[in-house]
Amino acid sequence: MKKIEKELEGGGGGERDGNRKSEKDLSWIPKVIKKRVCTIFVEDSSSNGALCQCGGARELHVSTDACDGVVGQWDSAQHTSEYPTDAFGELEFAGAGRRHSPFLRLSHDTHPDNVYSLMTNQWGLPIPNLVVSVVGGEGKDKVKTWVREVIRQGLVRAAQSTGAWIMTAGLREGVGRCVGEAVRDHCATASSLSQAKVIAVGVAPWGLIHQRQQLINPQGSFPARYYVQNMPHDACCLDNNHQAFLLVDDGSVGHRGCETKFRANLEDFISHQRTGIWGSGSIEIPVLCVLIAGDAAMLERVDLSLQNSTPWLVLAGSGPAADLIAGILRDLNTPLTPPVSPTLQSAAGEAREINSAELRDRVAARIKKQFPLGNQVEKLVDQALSIYQNRELITVFHGDQEGQDDFDTVILKALVRAAKRDSNDASEYTEELKLAVAWNRVDIAKSELFNGDVHWRYEDLEDSMTDALVNDKPQFVRLFVENGLNILDYLTYHRLERLYGSLSDCTLVHSFLQRRLQERVGLAASQTQLSFTPDENSSLKIPMNTTTNSSAAQQITLYEVSRVLHEIMKDVCQPLYYGPLGLDQGVNSRKAMKHVNKLLLNESPYQKQHCATPWVALFIWAVLQNRREMSIYFWEMAGESVLSALAGCKILRELSKSETETENKLSMKELAQTFENLAHDVFSECDQSDESRSYKLLIRQSSVWGGATCLQMATAADARLFFSHDGVQNLLSEIWWGDMDSNTEVWKLVLSFFLPPFIFSNLISFREHDNNEKDEEHEQGKEFDSVEGVESLAEVINTEEEVEENSALKGNPEGPNADTQKRPFIFRRWRQFWFAPVTSFLGNVLTYFLFLFLFAYVLLVDFKPPPPNGPAPSELVLYFWVFTLVCEEIRQTFFVGSTSLVQRMKLYIQDIWNKCDLTAILLFILGLILRMFPWSYNFGRAVMCVDYMVFTLRLIHIFAVHKQLGPKIIIVGKMVKDVFFFLFFLGVWLMAYGVANQALIYSYDSRPGWITRRVFYRPYMHIYGQIPLDEIDADIEYGKDCTDNVTLINDGAEPCPQSEANWLVLILLSVYLLVTNILLVNLLIAMFSYTFNKVQEHSDVYWKFQRYNLIVEYHSRPCLAPPLIIISHLHIFIKRVIWRVPSVKIQHFMLKLKGKEASWLNTWESTLKENLLSIQGKKQRESDTERLKRTSTKVDNVLKQMVEIRDHDRRLRKLESEVEYCSNALSWIVEALSQSDLIKKASPPPPPPSKGIASKGSTFRRRKLR
């Protein structure tokens, strides 16, 4: 350990960035840890000189010091040499979807001190409270069922309660595989808050591992992808359920046992390390070895550990070695040497020799019985006697005396048992497996087909996996993946296309895909007709291509899938599958279809490629079909959990809008809400674990999802619940306030805004970033942060454009923050205040009020006549002010974002407040043009007045950021929708009453203006109580001058109301007022009340969701407000157009992570996701439903036992009847013999058995007396 600390201290001179720090941490491993390579060839006589006794070929021994025939036995210490290790880092099992497992190749004589320090300090494994070392049970032999149950129900559960390490051989075979599966299952049910965690550590021989070349990398592998496919039956691969691997190397190849001594030394070293319950450090770590089965060589392993005083637990009945030790301890009950008196030394020596000889004979006989073909019996006897001498450290457990039957099978179990009698080849079980998939009996498949007896190959599971996917059998998909199916090798792009082609015709996605397919096929047909000419070349080539590849061209391809996904996802992300097709992201659809058709004319090379992200591809495939359980499972296995869940939510909500069936629509919405909840819960776990890292998770660009971020996907998916999370809001608040304290009062901002010297006082608190101190604090406890490019959030969202310019023009390698730290305090504090989005917002609010004041002043006081008398200077200032607003809208439309110009314009128009801005600007331009001419001056003034109202309404959006006003604005917006529904009903009644009223009272008045006023305006005013009875009730005389002359009326005279239908007019007025004032108005109040109560509960959620857009807008805005914003626009124009300096602010809240940083962030997210799933799984198992299921299972077992008891009772009664018959027959025989002359009359018959022992005793006494 001291050697490791010295290497860590001497790695470099004060390097601060993460990548160099990481390289320094890993550089000591090849210096300290060595590997073994056989350098002297010792011929193996059984291989005809082709192999060395180490197991390696002759050509692998580069040394010229070959000693063929000189050395009789190969020895690792003499014939191997040490070299720096070339296999270490993190191990990723291809397709397993698990967290990365650290691994290390090391020499068999490596000191355990260095290894234990590496495991606890560098790998981050928790210090164990218990170490359970499981030995034996290796190879392809069957593990007994009761042993499996002991491991699962007893060993792992006990280890989990204490937080233990379980050390195994680490291979996917025998007991090691059982332990790995048990640890996986129990860790999945453990609470993430529990401090007790079971860690499965594999200590495997390096030369025995199949495909070990994949792990070799002298610089370290992060990660090393471990592919195992079509493994030979006698080969051994690493088990993917272990959390760490120590690969022991003694230079041999294909030999077992080289790790025995190292493992015993490691166990002995750990047993002397101090720890306590929950890490108190008060006691030594207990180490327990468990022996399961084992061969003759296992006796040496047990003896070696017993000499180190390591206790052992032997499972009697599990196998030869365990049975041998249990039998020896049971038979040899007498002590090895009797008590010796000091005065009888010679006699004691003779007795010891005799006793030892007898014991050796007994032990040898038992060894020959257990290992009849074994050699070196004397050596085994010595080891057995040595084990017997340490019998106090051995505990024997007889687990085979308790049988358990946890499975209920009928027909399929009999078929599988019949197949087991013939062969253990997996091909014999293919039909049974397909039958299990068809019947959906995953329980029988687990118990009979995937219990370790059958060696399943990839080809055996491939077809069944496809059947399980197509037929929606997620439990079988999980089972196949857990039992060796490599999803990376399985899912090629061609198979993915076949999966999309297998969609049901009734699904919505199938119709979308078929529509895009018809477009491509139609374009291909038109191209064929246009390109077909009567010359010889075309007449020969085109028919041949179309006939040979027409079927392939008419199948669904990745292009159709990409088009459908792009239509669903909109502009959130780039097309997902354009890369394998060789398409650029910005290509139009027609060129893309031509390229795909040309690609399909020949054999498509992309179809043979393996999918880069198989779990994500299957997740999308399942989500598009609205398959709940399967999509959730694929989400669990896929990476980037938060973003994937939000993407699933987005897809389902978009599909639900097009779905016509109510049931499917509701299920889509429900599943979408489930994924939003999962995204919320996973991010909650991330935020609780590390706040700063969770911020990076929100703004990280994903290469898997086409460059999208979590915030973008949540906005597109309308994930209000996700946005309402405190972590998201804290990020937005931190961005909003910049480097200022988020609790700063508004009056302090206003005061500092108008009196800038207060910026340099302590009136406002600012966050000061000291990167050096941060690195020193976090480097000790967080391995994820030791990477180049890991920046604080303030650096990621930095809006200092001057810093961008310097870093881009000068090529500053230290990043923007270095330039910021070199500035004087005055400049740094000035920029921290003025470049904060909240300051920009405050400036825009204040200047907007000034703008409205200036606008109102111009309209009310200083609106001059047309030129040459006007406009006034104040009006010219207003024109310039609006011009700066127009420049800002142009900047937001054409210079914000990284998408195409058309997409930017679409995004700009989609926002309702942008529409409001565009309307206000267009109205202002119209009013400006009209007021310049005398003939349209008044109309231009009217347009200006309306435009002022539009500009004033724009204040609503500005105050949406307020915590109290924001939710109320949301409620008002919802109520406006209710008003439109109310106006529809009101318009119907208003039109009906207005037309009838006008026709009955003023039928001779044909003036259009007055007709419109009496039909629409007057009935509308009736609602508010303005009812002119003198104009409606003709029977009332008011002495008002009126006329019935049409000519006078057309000249402007007041018409007289007609009294012929006066009664009908009054009735219509009463009905109209009853409906509008009582019915419709109260209906509107009820709608407002319902909307208020409904939205009030979630108004905070709605407001937090809409707050994001406002923050993004002001984060991208220049610090200066209109009209001074023109200075910032000129500055931006010079930098972007003339200097060609790229802007970070073009990409809103986007962070590009590459290499180790991205990998570690994904690993951290996956780890927390697994913790969350463990908690949820535990809660589900503790629910009442699951308890009822378990109770039902127990009742079924009791009923089975009752049936067995009845059967036993029936058999006992039958036996009693037979015994009674035999008793009667014997009585008859005795009586017949007593009456015959064959026996003496004086001899009495034997007593009946019912008289018992007393009768026997009396009979014996009578015989003795006679």
Side-chain angles (χ1 to χ4, degrees):
M1 191 175 296
K2 294 180 180 179
K3 190 173 182 180
I4 293 178
E5 294 175 354
K6 184 181 296 184
E7 292 290 343
L8 291 176
E9 292 174 358
E15 296 172 343
R16 295 293 179 186
D17 57 71
N19 193 26
R20 294 178 181 177
K21 182 73 176 178
S22 178
E23 292 178 359
K24 183 179 69 174
D25 291 341
L26 301 176
S27 60
W28 64 270
I29 292 181
K31 301 177 182 178
V32 177
I33 307 299
K34 307 297 181 181
K35 67 176 182 179
R36 284 279 178 177
V37 178
C38 181
T39 55
I40 300 178
F41 184 85
V42 180
E43 182 180 346
D44 187 1
S45 58
S46 61
S47 64
N48 297 324
L51 298 177
C52 175
Q53 292 185 15
C54 70
R58 178 184 290 270
E59 55 269 15
L60 297 179
H61 296 71
V62 297
S63 175
T64 57
D65 300 333
C67 46
D68 301 358
V70 177
V71 180
Q73 187 68 29
W74 183 85
D75 187 11
S76 176
Q78 298 179 7
H79 304 137
T80 62
S81 301
E82 284 189 346
Y83 294 92
T85 183
D86 56 358
F88 62 93
E90 295 179 350
L91 185 62
E92 178 183 353
F93 290 90
R98 303 293 181 184
R99 68 188 70 178
H100 295 171
S101 302
F103 72 98
L104 174 67
R105 176 186 182 182
L106 70 163
S107 176
H108 67 95
D109 55 355
T110 304
H111 197 278
D113 185 1
N114 297 335
V115 179
Y116 182 75
S117 176
L118 171 72
M119 298 171 69
T120 55
N121 297 333
Q122 299 295 317
W123 290 357
L125 299 183
I127 297 177
N129 299 315
L130 172 68
V131 175
V132 179
S133 182
V134 181
V135 298
E138 301 175 357
K140 304 299 180 180
D141 296 336
K142 176 183 176 181
V143 180
K144 297 182 179 180
T145 304
W146 69 267
V147 176
R148 292 175 177 273
E149 293 301 322
V150 168
I151 294 174
R152 181 180 298 274
Q153 303 296 336
L155 175 63
V156 176
R157 181 173 296 178
Q160 185 180 17
S161 63
T162 56
W165 288 3
I166 299 183
M167 299 177 63
T168 69
L171 302 176
R172 193 173 180 80
E173 62 178 17
V175 175
R177 175 175 179 171
C178 297
V179 171
E181 292 175 349
V183 170
R184 176 200 64 204
D185 296 340
H186 281 268
C187 287
T189 60
S191 173
S192 62
L193 301 178
S194 175
Q195 298 182 12
K197 268 293 190 184
V198 180
I199 303 296
V201 180
V203 184
W206 168 262
L208 195 64
I209 300 173
H210 182 63
Q211 298 290 350
R212 57 185 176 274
Q213 294 80 8
Q214 300 176 2
L215 310 180
I216 296 177
N217 186 357
Q219 285 75 33
S221 302
F222 299 92
R225 299 184 181 273
Y226 187 57
Y227 296 84
V228 177
Q229 179 180 348
N230 300 331
M231 186 178 68
H233 181 71
D234 56 346
C236 302
C237 66
L238 296 176
D239 184 66
N240 62 337
N241 294 313
H242 285 65
Q243 283 79 16
F245 294 94
L246 298 175
L247 311 179
V248 184
D249 185 13
D250 67 343
S252 62
V253 178
H255 295 172
R256 298 180 183 267
C258 66
E259 79 284 1
T260 300
K261 185 176 181 181
F262 170 79
R263 186 170 171 181
N265 294 335
L266 181 61
E267 294 164 359
D268 180 61
F269 176 81
I270 295 177
S271 66
H272 291 85
Q273 304 305 307
R274 289 191 172 273
T275 186
I277 303 302
W278 317 129
S280 60
S282 60
I283 60 175
E284 292 183 348
I285 300 176
V287 178
L288 174 67
C289 294
V290 179
L291 176 61
I292 301 176
D295 52 7
M298 195 55 62
L299 297 179
E300 181 181 1
R301 170 72 172 88
V302 177
D303 185 26
L304 184 62
S305 295
L306 289 175
Q307 292 177 5
N308 294 330
S309 300
T310 302
W312 280 79
L313 176 65
V314 178
L315 269 65
S318 60
D323 296 344
L324 174 64
I325 295 177
I328 291 175
L329 296 179
R330 182 180 65 252
D331 296 343
L332 305 183
N333 293 323
T334 57
L336 186 62
T337 56
V340 180
S341 174
T343 59
L344 301 175
Q345 296 293 335
S346 60
E350 294 178 359
R352 187 181 299 110
E353 293 178 359
I354 297 174
N355 200 359
S356 299
E358 294 178 355
L359 289 178
R360 292 183 66 87
D361 293 340
R362 295 167 60 183
V363 171
R366 179 167 287 277
I367 290 175
K368 292 178 181 179
K369 181 179 179 181
Q370 290 289 344
F371 306 106
L373 301 179
N375 299 324
Q376 301 179 349
V377 177
E378 291 298 325
K379 181 180 179 181
L380 296 178
V381 170
D382 294 337
Q383 293 173 353
L385 292 177
S386 178
I387 293 172
Y388 180 74
Q389 288 179 347
N390 297 285
R391 58 189 177 275
E392 293 83 4
L393 298 174
I394 302 176
T395 302
V396 180
F397 176 75
H398 299 275
D400 55 347
Q401 298 177 0
E402 300 179 1
Q404 297 181 356
D405 185 11
D406 297 331
F407 304 100
D408 183 16
T409 59
V410 187
I411 301 176
L412 186 60
K413 188 172 182 179
L415 294 174
V416 174
R417 285 182 175 177
K420 285 184 178 179
R421 297 192 188 100
D422 300 331
S423 173
N424 284 333
D425 189 8
S427 59
E428 301 291 335
Y429 301 92
T430 304
E431 296 299 326
E432 285 74 15
L433 178 60
K434 291 181 179 180
L435 188 59
V437 174
W439 289 358
N440 200 19
R441 292 300 303 270
V442 69
D443 54 341
I444 298 178
K446 287 181 179 179
S447 62
E448 301 297 332
L449 301 176
F450 293 94
N451 56 4
D453 302 340
V454 184
H455 178 71
W456 292 98
R457 295 181 304 235
Y458 170 75
E459 294 82 2
D460 302 324
L461 300 177
E462 183 178 2
D463 295 337
S464 299
M465 179 69 171
T466 304
D467 293 339
L469 287 173
V470 173
N471 298 316
D472 194 15
K473 307 264 179 84
Q475 294 181 351
F476 272 99
V477 175
R478 186 189 298 267
L479 180 65
F480 296 153
V481 172
E482 291 176 353
N483 287 272
L485 180 70
N486 190 344
I487 198 67
L488 287 175
D489 291 334
Y490 170 79
L491 192 64
T492 60
Y493 288 117
H494 179 61
R495 181 169 278 115
L496 183 61
E497 292 175 345
R498 288 177 55 192
L499 289 176
Y500 277 102
S502 65
L503 298 182
S504 175
D505 297 340
C506 60
T507 58
L508 185 64
V509 179
H510 181 268
S511 61
F512 292 163
L513 292 173
Q514 291 297 325
R515 191 181 308 162
R516 298 304 167 204
L517 178 61
Q518 291 175 4
E519 291 181 4
R520 182 176 59 80
V521 173
L523 179 62
S526 62
Q527 286 179 340
T528 304
Q529 293 176 0
L530 291 175
S531 60
F532 186 81
T533 56
D535 60 274
E536 296 180 356
N537 295 330
S538 61
S539 63
L540 292 176
K541 292 182 179 179
I542 293 178
M544 182 172 57
N545 289 335
T546 54
T547 54
T548 56
N549 296 284
S550 58
S551 59
Q554 293 180 0
Q555 300 295 327
I556 293 176
T557 63
L558 292 181
Y559 172 74
E560 285 77 34
V561 178
S562 301
R563 283 288 304 277
V564 171
L565 287 176
H566 189 62
E567 291 174 358
I568 294 174
M569 306 293 285
K570 305 264 171 88
D571 297 326
V572 181
C573 60
Q574 298 174 350
L576 297 182
Y577 297 116
Y578 272 18
L581 295 173
L583 295 173
D584 297 331
Q585 298 294 341
V587 66
N588 58 42
S589 58
R590 187 173 182 84
K591 290 183 179 180
M593 287 189 289
K594 289 182 180 179
H595 176 79
V596 174
N597 289 329
K598 183 178 179 181
L599 194 65
L600 294 175
L601 288 178
N602 301 317
E603 185 178 359
S604 303
Y606 79 92
Q607 293 182 341
K608 298 181 180 180
Q609 298 178 5
H610 296 281
C611 187
T613 54
W615 292 117
V616 174
L618 291 176
F619 170 73
I620 297 174
W621 174 78
V623 167
L624 289 174
Q625 299 178 84
N626 193 25
R627 293 183 174 181
R628 181 181 183 86
E629 187 176 354
M630 187 169 288
S631 61
I632 292 177
Y633 170 66
F634 290 148
W635 173 81
E636 294 175 358
M637 303 298 289
E640 302 184 7
S641 308
V642 177
L643 184 55
S644 298
L646 292 174
C649 178
K650 166 67 176 175
I651 294 172
L652 289 167
R653 283 179 177 165
E654 290 295 330
L655 289 177
S656 65
K657 297 177 182 178
S658 304
E659 183 61 53
T660 56
E661 296 185 7
T662 305
E663 185 177 356
N664 293 337
K665 179 178 292 188
L666 292 177
S667 63
M668 286 180 179
K669 292 181 178 179
E670 182 181 356
L671 184 55
Q673 188 61 44
T674 300
F675 280 120
E676 183 178 354
N677 295 336
L678 288 173
H680 178 275
D681 296 340
V682 172
F683 181 75
S684 180
E685 290 286 328
C686 297
D687 185 64
Q688 293 177 6
S689 175
D690 193 326
E691 185 175 318
S692 61
R693 200 176 298 160
S694 65
Y695 291 165
K696 297 176 185 177
L697 192 66
L698 290 175
I699 61 179
R700 173 200 57 185
Q701 282 187 295
S702 171
S703 59
V704 178
W705 290 99
T709 65
C710 291
L711 291 180
Q712 289 177 333
M713 193 67 72
T715 305
D718 198 20
R720 297 185 179 93
L721 178 63
F722 180 79
F723 265 102
S724 66
H725 191 275
D726 292 338
V728 181
Q729 293 302 310
N730 291 337
L731 170 66
L732 297 178
S733 298
E734 186 171 340
I735 297 172
W736 180 249
W737 288 93
D739 288 335
M740 288 185 288
D741 187 6
S742 59
N743 296 322
T744 304
E745 290 83 355
V746 178
W747 67 268
K748 294 181 179 180
L749 284 176
V750 177
L751 183 62
S752 301
F753 187 85
F754 289 103
L755 298 175
F758 281 102
I759 299 174
F760 308 103
S761 64
N762 294 327
L763 183 65
I764 300 178
S765 300
F766 290 86
R767 291 192 301 269
E768 299 293 339
H769 302 283
D770 191 353
N771 293 338
N772 296 335
E773 293 181 1
K774 275 188 175 182
D775 290 343
E776 292 176 359
E777 292 175 359
H778 292 283
E779 203 64 47
Q780 298 176 358
K782 298 181 180 180
E783 70 274 16
F784 293 107
D785 291 340
S786 57
V787 129
E788 183 179 1
V790 176
E791 301 169 334
S792 64
L793 183 65
E795 298 171 10
V796 172
I797 61 174
N798 195 354
T799 60
E800 302 180 7
E801 297 194 6
E802 202 171 294
V803 175
E804 300 167 17
E805 178 184 347
N806 292 336
S807 60
L809 292 177
K810 299 179 181 179
N812 189 3
E814 298 179 358
N817 193 56
D819 194 44
T820 307
Q821 296 295 330
K822 295 178 182 179
R823 284 199 186 90
F825 169 78
I826 297 176
F827 294 100
R828 186 171 68 252
R829 181 60 60 86
W830 180 269
R831 299 181 65 85
Q832 286 176 340
F833 178 80
W834 290 107
F835 282 85
V838 66
T839 309
S840 177
F841 171 77
L842 179 62
N844 279 272
V845 170
L846 297 177
T847 56
Y848 199 78
F849 275 108
L850 293 176
F851 167 73
L852 293 178
F853 176 78
L854 177 62
F855 202 165
Y857 174 79
V858 170
L859 291 176
L860 297 175
V861 179
D862 207 12
F863 199 78
K864 299 297 182 181
N869 297 325
S874 59
E875 192 173 353
L876 294 177
V877 174
L878 179 64
Y879 296 163
F880 176 74
W881 204 313
V882 174
F883 171 73
T884 60
L885 294 177
V886 173
C887 293
E888 175 60 20
E889 296 301 322
I890 293 174
R891 186 195 66 84
Q892 293 182 17
T893 306
F894 299 102
F895 298 98
V896 174
S898 58
T899 57
S900 63
L901 181 60
V902 177
Q903 291 176 344
R904 294 178 195 173
M905 296 180 65
K906 289 182 180 179
L907 292 175
Y908 178 84
I909 296 298
Q910 287 175 359
D911 188 76
I912 185 172
W913 295 110
N914 289 335
K915 296 177 183 178
C916 181
D917 292 337
L918 188 60
T919 303
I921 292 172
L922 292 177
L923 286 176
F924 188 87
I925 294 173
L926 178 62
L928 173 62
I929 295 173
L930 293 176
R931 66 97 55 221
M932 293 298 175
F933 303 98
W935 57 272
S936 60
Y937 170 79
N938 292 327
F939 186 70
R941 183 187 180 95
V943 173
M944 285 286 192
C945 293
V946 175
D947 189 42
Y948 179 80
M949 294 181 62
V950 178
F951 273 114
T952 306
L953 292 176
R954 189 65 169 80
L955 286 172
I956 297 177
H957 177 58
I958 294 177
F959 289 103
V961 74
H962 196 269
K963 191 172 184 179
Q964 281 73 33
L965 293 178
K968 300 302 182 292
I969 294 174
I970 300 298
I971 295 176
V972 171
K974 295 291 182 180
M975 288 183 175
V976 169
K977 297 181 180 179
D978 295 336
V979 171
F980 283 107
F981 288 105
F982 168 77
L983 291 178
F984 170 75
F985 293 107
L986 179 63
V988 173
W989 282 97
L990 191 144
M991 173 70 74
Y993 170 74
V995 172
N997 184 68
Q998 172 68 18
L1000 292 174
I1001 299 179
Y1002 303 103
S1003 60
Y1004 51 83
D1005 190 357
S1006 60
R1007 293 175 295 177
W1010 283 95
I1011 291 176
T1012 304
R1013 182 178 297 181
R1014 294 192 185 105
V1015 171
F1016 295 101
Y1017 177 70
R1018 183 176 291 176
Y1020 177 74
M1021 297 305 296
H1022 290 351
I1023 301 175
Y1024 302 102
Q1026 296 186 10
I1027 305 175
L1029 294 178
D1030 57 337
E1031 298 180 6
I1032 297 177
D1033 192 353
D1035 295 336
I1036 300 177
E1037 297 292 339
Y1038 288 97
K1040 191 175 181 180
D1041 294 335
C1042 60
T1043 181
D1044 295 335
N1045 191 341
V1046 178
T1047 304
L1048 296 177
I1049 292 174
N1050 292 331
D1051 293 337
E1054 181 69 21
C1056 294
Q1058 294 178 342
S1059 60
E1060 290 79 5
N1062 188 61
W1063 60 273
L1064 183 58
V1065 172
L1066 296 179
I1067 294 175
L1068 293 178
L1069 176 62
S1070 301
V1071 173
Y1072 172 73
L1073 293 177
L1074 177 66
V1075 172
T1076 55
N1077 286 20
I1078 296 177
L1079 180 61
L1080 293 182
V1081 172
N1082 283 279
L1083 175 63
L1084 179 63
I1085 295 173
M1087 293 171 64
F1088 282 169
S1089 178
Y1090 173 77
T1091 302
F1092 181 84
N1093 294 330
K1094 180 181 179 181
V1095 179
Q1096 180 65 23
E1097 300 176 357
H1098 307 286
S1099 61
D1100 187 62
V1101 175
Y1102 286 102
W1103 167 72
K1104 289 178 178 178
F1105 176 71
Q1106 293 191 357
R1107 179 172 173 247
Y1108 166 74
N1109 295 324
L1110 186 66
I1111 293 177
V1112 169
E1113 177 183 350
Y1114 281 95
H1115 172 261
S1116 62
R1117 279 196 174 190
C1119 60
L1120 297 178
L1124 301 178
I1125 198 174
I1126 192 67
I1127 301 175
S1128 298
H1129 290 161
L1130 293 175
H1131 184 214
I1132 294 174
F1133 179 79
I1134 293 173
K1135 289 199 311 180
R1136 303 292 178 260
V1137 179
I1138 299 177
W1139 292 349
R1140 301 289 183 179
V1141 178
S1143 175
V1144 176
K1145 293 197 297 184
I1146 292 178
Q1147 299 176 341
H1148 295 294
F1149 304 154
M1150 293 183 181
L1151 176 63
K1152 291 185 179 180
L1153 298 180
K1154 297 180 180 179
K1156 296 179 181 178
E1157 185 180 6
S1159 175
W1160 285 347
L1161 187 63
N1162 292 333
T1163 303
W1164 171 72
E1165 182 186 8
S1166 300
T1167 302
L1168 295 177
K1169 176 189 68 176
E1170 292 178 4
N1171 294 339
L1172 173 66
L1173 295 177
S1174 300
I1175 296 174
Q1176 293 179 348
K1178 185 176 181 180
K1179 289 181 179 179
Q1180 183 179 2
R1181 281 183 288 273
E1182 293 177 354
S1183 62
D1184 295 338
T1185 304
E1186 294 297 326
R1187 290 181 179 180
L1188 287 175
K1189 289 182 180 179
R1190 291 194 294 268
T1191 304
S1192 176
T1193 303
K1194 292 179 181 179
V1195 170
D1196 292 339
N1197 294 333
V1198 171
L1199 292 176
K1200 291 179 182 179
Q1201 294 179 1
M1202 293 294 295
V1203 172
E1204 294 178 357
I1205 291 174
R1206 293 195 195 98
D1207 183 63
H1208 293 164
D1209 183 63
R1210 180 183 58 80
R1211 294 169 62 185
L1212 286 175
R1213 289 180 182 179
K1214 183 177 180 180
L1215 182 62
E1216 287 178 357
S1217 63
E1218 292 178 355
V1219 170
E1220 184 178 0
Y1221 173 78
C1222 293
S1223 177
N1224 295 332
L1226 289 175
S1227 299
W1228 179 81
I1229 293 173
V1230 170
E1231 184 179 359
L1233 291 175
S1234 63
Q1235 296 177 1
S1236 65
D1237 297 334
L1238 297 177
I1239 58 175
K1240 296 181 179 180
K1241 303 237 178 157
S1243 300
S1250 59
K1251 293 183 178 180
I1253 300 176
S1255 300
K1256 292 181 180 180
S1258 61
T1259 305
F1260 176 76
R1261 285 193 299 271
R1262 286 197 301 269
R1263 287 180 179 178
K1264 189 173 181 181
L1265 290 174
R1266 290 185 180 183

